[in-house]
Every structure is written in structure tokens, then in C-alpha cells.
Amino acid sequence: MIVMALGPEKSNSGGAITLSVVVPFFNESDVLPEFHRRLTGVLDQLQESSEIIYVDDGSQDDSWNLVASFPESRSDRFCIQLSRNFGKEAAMSAGLENTRGQAVILLDADLQDPPELIPVMLQQWEKGFDIVNMQRRKRNGESWFKRTSASIFYRLLNSLSQSEIPENVGDFRLLDKKVIEHINRLPERNRYMKGIFAWPGFEQTTVLFDRDERFCGSTKWNFLKLLGLAVDGITSFSIKPLRIATLMGSLVAVLAFCYGLMVVLKTLILGEPVTGYPSMMVVQLGLGGIQLLSIGLLGEYIGRIFIEAKARPLYLTRSVTEKKARSERHQH
Ligand code: UDP
Ligand code: MG
């Protein structure tokens, strides 16, 4: 008789877990106690068994000690501390790789994604959807600049990339285990998660919600970090910018050829008066600009190949702590 080898059992699995909640955080000690209180408040009411996965993305403050010291609740708790700040995308990957649940929800620690919506997300999942995207109805507490730049970015991204990345959907979403397994197997180092979540497809639905303002503290993103994320988003999901550069180059070459022909004919017919300084400058500056832009663009892609080729790990773990769920027998 052939005995089929099942996948390796996780050593810590004590009964099947339905829901995993992944929470990446970076210097959030002000908000974590309130976050944990609200999250466990919701999870404790659920029929489904759950676990919370806290990922400390190299916090400099007391956040790590806080999550490790919270009292036990009805959910298992798994805390991963990364060795330094690797960025939210890497922290989320670390969390996703350690989930055991049949469904996984990603949640920001700053209470902008209300934990109270978890039952609604589970309902959609039980209806058979594999991905439940949470779309913001409006962006409370965000500057006009951030809202406008985000909207331009999404439009640009979606016109360039093949998989539709829904606008105003952050990382707050539910994903079925089978999607998570595919995502965990993606080899790329450059993890633009919003694109990665959109890539596998599967049955998706979108739920509208009002995104709250940050509970306290300030955003961990500055303009340059966001710009970097935007460039990452575009270049890791599309090579259309390269094609546009090629097209632009060809167009300019054709125009230059026609203009050259005109200049030759004009010189033959009318002789050679020394004029044309303005047109020469315009052409030179224009061409120079396009060339530099295209080289820069090439550089972006080559840089990405370089990073992928090094194949370094996405993150390093410093320590891990685990807390089992409070035993049901002590419940009343
Ligand atoms: N975060 C993280 N690593 C970082 C930056 C942010 O884990 O390098 C976490 C942060 O603690 C929060 C979530 O990612 O839980 C969202 O960050 P933030 O609220 O600063 O972003 P915003 O809501 O302004 O987009
Ligand atoms: Mg936030």
C-alpha cells in the first residue's frame, strides 16, 4: 500500500484554525494596547477559532514588549520580531508565511482598518469568495495632496499593468488559504503587495467601508517612501514603460529623419544661411531629456534585476514568541 505523505504539520498546530489576523507594526506602542483590546473584543465573539500574528518590523520603541506581554485571549498569538525595519511589505510577507488559518485578514495596527468589520469579511468568505477587498468610501484624515497623488497613481498603474489593482483598496483584505499559498510561493524579492494580491485572480468581491483617521501617532510613510512604493508598483508589474520609451524613441527618430530631409532639400534649393539656433537648441534639449529619461527607466529595471539576482531573504527574524489561546474550560 502506498502511504501518501501529507504536507509537514506545523509543530504548533493544536486544532484547526479558521482565521489568522496578520498585523505588521512599526513603532506603534501608543496605539497597540487599544488595538489589541478592540481586536480581541471582536475575535472573542466569533464562532470561528482564530490566531493573531503580530509582526514587529524593527520597532525602536516598546512595541515588541507590549505585544509579548498582552494577557491571553481566546485567540492563539504568534509574535515575530524582525531584526530591523524591513518595510511594511516585507513585514506582511513574514506574517503571511506564518499563518495557519483557512482565511487570513491583514490589518494595520493604527486602527485605520476597523477590526469590527472582521465578521462582515468572514461572511463574504463563507459565501465562497476567495478575496474580500476592503475599499475606502472616503479617505478621512488624509491631505488633499495624498488623495490626489494616490488617485493619479492608481490610474497610471492600472493603465499600465495587466492585473486590475482596485483603487482605494489598501492592504486591508481577507484572503483564502489557497491564495496565500500561491502568494507565499512567489519568488520575487520586490514585494509590492497590492499588486501581488491582485495577481492570482480567483473569486473576488469588494466591500465598502469608512476608513478612520489614525488613532494616534503619525503615518510611517513620507513622500519619498510613497514615491518609491509607486515606482516599485509600476515597474514590478509592467514593462509597458520600456515599450513607451521605445515607441517614443522611434517616433522621434522618424520625425528627425523627415526634418533632416527637409533641411537637406532646403539647403540644396536656398543655399546655406547660418540660422536655426533656436530650433537646434529645442531639438537637442528635447532629445537629451528623452534620452536621460529612458536611461533612468532602464536603470530602474536593471536595479530590480540586480536585487532579484542577489536573492537575499526578504527579512530576518530576531525572535518569536507564542501564546496559546486561553483554554475554553476557564470560560464562563
Ligand atoms: N508599518 C510597518 N513598517 C513600516 C511602516 C509601516 O510595519 O516600515 C505599519 C504601521 O505600523 C501600520 C501599517 O504598517 O500598522 C500602516 O502604516 P501607516 O499607518 O504609517 O500607513 P498609512 O496608513 O499612512 O498608509
Ligand atoms: Mg495608517
Side-chain angles (χ1 to χ4, degrees), residues 196-214:
I196 285 184
F197 294 143
W199 180 80
F202 291 100
E203 280 296 314
Q204 307 211 6
T205 183
T206 302
V207 175
L208 286 172
F209 80 110
D210 290 315
R211 192 159 205 249
D212 296 329
E213 289 182 26
R214 216 170 206 288

Side-chain angles (χ1 to χ4, degrees), residues 14 22 43 54 62 66 98 106 120 123 142 156 180 191 196 201 206 208 220 268 287 307 311 321 332:
V22 174
L43 294 182
Y54 279 117
D62 206 27
L66 268 179
N98 286 284
L106 285 152
V120 180
Q123 255 172 24
E142 287 186 358
L156 190 67
I180 296 286
R191 296 186 90 79
I196 285 184
T206 302
L208 286 172
K220 303 290 179 286
L268 285 178
L287 272 184
I307 288 168
T321 65
H332 43 108

Side-chain angles (χ1 to χ4, degrees), residues 21-22 24 35 39 88 92 104-121 131-136 154 166 168-175 193-194 197 205-212:
V21 180
V22 174
F35 172 80
L39 178 62
K88 187 184 179 191
M92 281 193 284
V104 174
I105 289 180
L106 285 152
L107 214 53
D108 279 2
D110 59 2
L111 286 171
Q112 282 194 288
D113 309 329
E116 289 73 22
L117 291 173
I118 289 175
V120 180
M121 301 167 89
I131 300 183
V132 184
N133 296 311
M134 301 301 283
Q135 189 171 41
R136 304 169 208 184
Y154 278 116
N168 284 344
V169 175
D171 296 314
F172 185 28
R173 70 189 74 209
L174 178 146
L175 300 138
M193 292 311 261
K194 291 176 199 53
F197 294 143
T205 183
T206 302
V207 175
L208 286 172
F209 80 110
D210 290 315
R211 192 159 205 249
D212 296 329

Side-chain angles (χ1 to χ4, degrees), residues 24-26 28 57 85 87-88 91 108-110 112 146 211 214 219-221 225:
F25 62 86
F26 174 54
E28 301 282 9
D57 187 15
N85 181 245
K88 187 184 179 191
D108 279 2
D110 59 2
Q112 282 194 288
K146 187 159 178 192
R211 192 159 205 249
R214 216 170 206 288
T219 176
K220 303 290 179 286
W221 299 92
K225 253 182 159 180

